[in-house]
Amino acid sequence: MRLDIISIFPEYFAPLDVSLIGKARERGTLDARVHQLRDWAHDVHKTVDDTPYGGGPGMVMKPEVWGEAIDAVIEGGSPTGVTGGGSPRLIVPTPSGRPFTQELAQELAAEPWLLFACGRYEGIDSRVMAEYGTRLRVDEISIGDYVLAGGEVATLVMVEAIGRLLPGVLGNAHSAVDDSFAPGAMRNLVEGPVFTKPPVWRGHEVPPVLLSGHHGKVARWRRDEALRRTVANRPELAAALDPETLDKHDRRLLEELSFRFQPEDMAN
Ligand code: ADE
């Protein structure tokens, strides 16, 4: 995958040299390039922002500099092997975007080329998204219902979630399969607790079933724990579970947890 990131703070992306993503870059699985937006500003102060039309607090990022930057990165060449025109999917992190989910991470991991445009201040002049929306797929994406100081950290979050799904990035090929929110039997349940050696630490024992070697019982225990945690920590996910996907044991456990599928709880 080719990945371009445009930001006024390229130094935010030092973590892309580390760990799984760093190794994926070394191996060439991920071709990540970080660009300084100010390189496309022409005045002596390298200005990238201006006051908002209509008034209000803060500053808005100027369309001209973003336009030149995005054009230059796109013209810098499509990644080899890209078919169908060779242009990136443009991702703009913003708290007003659609939610970033594991499903979206999977969709983006299948793209050959992503370009992240990191806004600061009150955001990027909207005409930039309108302009590129005529030529590229443009996604404005939020990583959660809180406001960060800019799109850089949100980009790091998305790049890590996407990067670990690229073929060969995770050491254990199956690790992503068991993720909370990954498709499969445990879809829409959060993962339960995990343990390693020693069997007793500071008086806390590992649940004996995990030492039993009985795969069926271990799987059942893990599902029970996932259900318990989902009810406790993510009641909205529990409410959205499809009753058709629950077996008798699941239903009994949910009853024990006093969890009821109420019509008003159901996600629509
Ligand atoms: N920029 C500022 N806050 C953000 C958020 N929650 N998600 C994505 N980009 C952002």
Side-chain angles (χ1 to χ4, degrees), residues 93-95 141-144 146-148 150-151 154:
T94 164
I141 303 179
S142 166
I143 63 159
Y146 38 78
V147 180
L148 302 167

Side-chain angles (χ1 to χ4, degrees), residues 240-259:
L241 287 172
D242 177 0
E244 298 285 304
T245 65
L246 302 175
D247 63 23
K248 253 203 266 171
H249 189 114
D250 294 334
R251 290 169 208 274
R252 198 165 347 113
L253 176 63
L254 288 172
E255 248 168 60
E256 272 169 39
L257 296 171
S258 308
F259 183 81

Side-chain angles (χ1 to χ4, degrees), residues 227-238:
L227 281 162
R228 282 184 211 283
R229 267 208 194 176
T230 305
V231 168
N233 295 342
R234 300 293 303 275
E236 84 290 4
L237 283 184

Side-chain angles (χ1 to χ4, degrees), residues 7 12 16-17 37 64 71 121-122 137 151 156 158 160 175 178-179 190 192 194 199 213 236 252 255 265:
S7 162
Y12 254 104
L16 297 182
D17 288 331
L37 177 69
E64 305 97 313
D71 287 348
Y121 319 116
E122 296 302 308
R137 264 193 296 172
L156 278 175
M158 290 188 264
E160 184 158 314
S175 313
D178 294 334
D179 285 342
V190 299
V194 295
E236 84 290 4
R252 198 165 347 113
E255 248 168 60
D265 282 345

